[in-house]
């Protein structure tokens, strides 16, 4: 580091403390200070550099943006993960306001990366799911950032089960993540997420809670949309058991509707002795599944029946049957 410190001193002597050459040498000093293992010192150096660049060059100058990006990066490298997330999120919002979608998506990738480093897997999954949908919509299916978003989402979704989402606040992140995954058309992973949510709701609020029932409904519906009829029928059993424990068992309108749908799913999942490879159904092993077609009808938890709705949460109101939509390393330096 002594060479870079000497180079900065020489630039100050030759060009002055506010010259572009001096600022560029200070950037190199800050970067290599961090790379040498002194992350906290890098944060301090980049904070000073950013203040001087904004004063001398303006907040929107490319050099100011680079220093701002590096400051957030070294906050993360120093272990201040939430500070890095907050700073990248602010930069992302500014890029959106300025109409720079590629920059905004690159910064979203940074947000997700540092959320994951912080152990907030659900928030990171939600971020990458949103990034993937935005990239597909704004940049197209073949764009490089779309591919990065798809890869990050797949990597993170493959890390299930999650780790550090205990408590009520973490549960809300899981619920939001499940809704994002479901909206992306990844119904099998959505079903797994809703199953985790149901287990956590049961621990936090009890087996007969409306929160547990809402998650079980989401799990069953995601399985229906995935075409996993046998699995969906099992999830329906859990929904019906939860409703019965709430005093909304056989004889109530919602229970009877769901029980009928459960029986239909079980019939669809059962092997058909007349099915063959040349018929309207195809068999995999011992299980025959109907060909793709309209998804099964599903009683909506957000409708207003005579008895109270299943869940008051806004996330449940988003759990409607959806058709799958067509199908960035963070911007590591």
């Amino acid at each position: 580091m002594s060479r870079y410190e000497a180079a900065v001193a020489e630039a100050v002597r030759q060009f002055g403390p506010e010259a572009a050459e001096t600022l560029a040498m200070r950037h190199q000093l800050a970067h290599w200070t961090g790379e040498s293992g002194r992350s906290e010192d890098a944060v301090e150096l980049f904070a000073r550099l950013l203040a001087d660049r904004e004063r001398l060059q303006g907040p929107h100058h490319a050099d100011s943006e680079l220093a701002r990006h590096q400051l957030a990066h070294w906050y993360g490298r120093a272990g201040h993960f939430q500070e890095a997330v907050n700073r990248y999120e602010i930069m992302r919002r500014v890029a959106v306001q300025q109409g720079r979608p590629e920059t905004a998506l690159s910064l979203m990738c940074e947000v997700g990366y540092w959320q994951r480093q912080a152990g907030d897997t659900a928030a990171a999954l939600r971020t990458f799911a949103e990034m993937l949908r935005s990239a597909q919509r704004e940049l197209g299916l073949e764009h490089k950032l779309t591919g990065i978003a798809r890869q990050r989402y797949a990597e993170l979704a493959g890390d299930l089960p999650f780790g550090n989402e205990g408590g009520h606040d973490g549960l809300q992140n899981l619920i939001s993540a499940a809704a994002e995954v479901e909206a992306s058309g990844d119904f099998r992973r959505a079903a797994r997420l809703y199953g985790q949510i149901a287990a956590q709701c049961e621990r936090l609020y009890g087996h007969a809670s409306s929160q547990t029932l809402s998650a079980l409904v989401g799990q069953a519906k995601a399985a229906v949309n995935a075409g996993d009829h046998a699995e969906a029928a099992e999830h329906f059993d859990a929904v019906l058991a939860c409703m019965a424990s709430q005093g909304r068992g056989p004889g109530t309108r919602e229970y009877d509707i769901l029980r009928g749908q459960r029986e239909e799913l079980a019939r669809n999942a059962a092997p058909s002795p007349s099915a063959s490879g040349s018929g309207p159904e195809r068999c995999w092993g011992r299980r025959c599944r109907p060909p793709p077609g309209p998804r099964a009808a599903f009683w909506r938890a957000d409708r207003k029946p005579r008895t109270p709705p299943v869940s008051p949460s806004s996330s449940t109101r988003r759990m409607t049957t959806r058709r799958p939509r067509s199908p960035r390393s963070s911007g590591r330096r």
Side-chain angles (χ1 to χ4, degrees):
M1 299 319 314
S2 59
R3 291 187 177 181
Y4 283 105
E5 290 170 346
V8 170
E10 179 64 19
V12 171
R13 187 185 67 80
Q14 282 194 0
F15 307 109
E18 298 183 346
E21 295 84 353
T22 302
L23 295 177
M25 192 55 62
R26 285 174 59 189
H27 185 110
Q28 291 298 316
L29 173 62
H31 172 78
W32 289 110
T33 296
E35 291 295 346
S36 70
R38 295 160 54 191
S39 301
E40 295 286 358
D41 291 340
V43 168
E44 183 177 349
L45 289 171
F46 272 116
R48 293 179 193 166
L49 177 61
L50 174 60
D52 287 341
R53 284 203 181 277
E54 288 182 333
R55 176 174 58 84
L56 296 169
Q57 299 173 291
H60 302 304
H61 191 279
D63 290 340
S64 297
E65 291 190 352
L66 179 59
R68 191 177 298 116
H69 191 288
Q70 286 292 299
L71 178 57
H73 171 79
W74 284 106
Y75 264 117
R77 291 277 293 271
H80 307 297
F81 302 127
Q82 191 57 48
E83 183 68 21
V85 168
N86 294 342
R87 287 177 176 272
Y88 277 118
E89 177 60 22
I90 290 171
M91 288 186 276
R92 184 194 70 81
R93 292 176 182 175
V94 171
V96 170
Q97 293 171 356
Q98 294 174 341
R100 297 186 294 160
E102 293 189 31
T103 300
L105 287 166
S106 294
L107 291 167
M108 185 180 292
C109 192
E110 296 284 359
V111 171
Y113 174 83
W114 291 112
Q115 286 171 330
R116 185 178 185 181
Q117 293 300 110
D120 196 347
T121 320
L125 181 61
R126 189 174 71 248
T127 295
F128 285 124
E130 180 183 352
M131 178 186 171
L132 177 56
R133 289 205 319 275
S134 298
Q136 291 176 161
R137 181 179 65 250
E138 298 175 17
L139 304 178
L141 299 179
E142 304 304 321
H143 195 279
K144 179 180 178 180
L145 286 176
T146 305
I148 292 174
R150 188 178 297 113
Q151 179 183 359
R152 294 294 168 266
Y153 168 79
E155 288 174 355
L156 195 55
D159 281 347
L160 295 172
F162 296 119
N164 299 330
E165 288 79 38
H168 178 79
D169 292 340
L171 180 62
Q172 298 312 304
N173 272 339
L174 274 175
I175 292 171
S176 297
E180 294 288 353
V181 172
E182 188 176 26
S184 74
D186 194 345
F187 298 116
R188 286 182 173 83
R189 284 200 174 102
R192 293 167 62 191
L193 272 170
Y194 284 124
Q196 286 187 264
I197 293 168
Q200 194 158 324
C201 285
E202 185 168 350
R203 287 193 297 270
L204 289 172
Y205 311 116
H207 173 69
S209 66
S210 61
Q211 295 92 336
T212 301
L213 179 57
S214 175
L216 292 172
V217 167
Q219 184 182 29
K221 180 149 48 60
V224 171
N225 286 341
D228 296 331
H229 294 164
E231 182 178 335
E234 294 178 5
H235 297 328
F236 266 72
D237 288 336
V239 171
L240 294 170
C242 186
M243 292 181 68
S245 67
Q246 292 180 343
R248 300 162 60 188
T252 62
R253 181 172 179 268
E254 294 82 5
Y255 186 98
D256 292 344
I257 290 174
L258 286 179
R259 184 171 59 184
Q261 293 180 352
R262 186 261 176 226
E263 293 171 355
E264 180 181 353
L265 285 167
R267 287 193 297 270
N268 289 338
S272 172
S274 62
S276 65
S278 60
E281 296 181 337
R282 296 175 58 193
C283 295
W284 291 266
R286 295 184 178 179
R287 176 180 298 179
C288 295
R289 297 186 181 183
R295 297 196 184 98
F298 200 99
W299 169 70
R300 290 181 46 163
D302 62 339
R303 67 187 298 172
K304 294 183 178 181
R306 297 177 183 176
T307 55
V310 168
S311 170
S313 67
S314 60
S315 61
T316 304
R317 289 194 290 272
R318 297 174 63 183
M319 295 181 193
T320 55
T321 302
R322 301 171 185 254
R323 293 185 180 275
R325 301 182 182 182
S326 60
R328 179 193 33 143
S329 140
S330 89
R332 305 268 45 87
R333 286 150 297 284

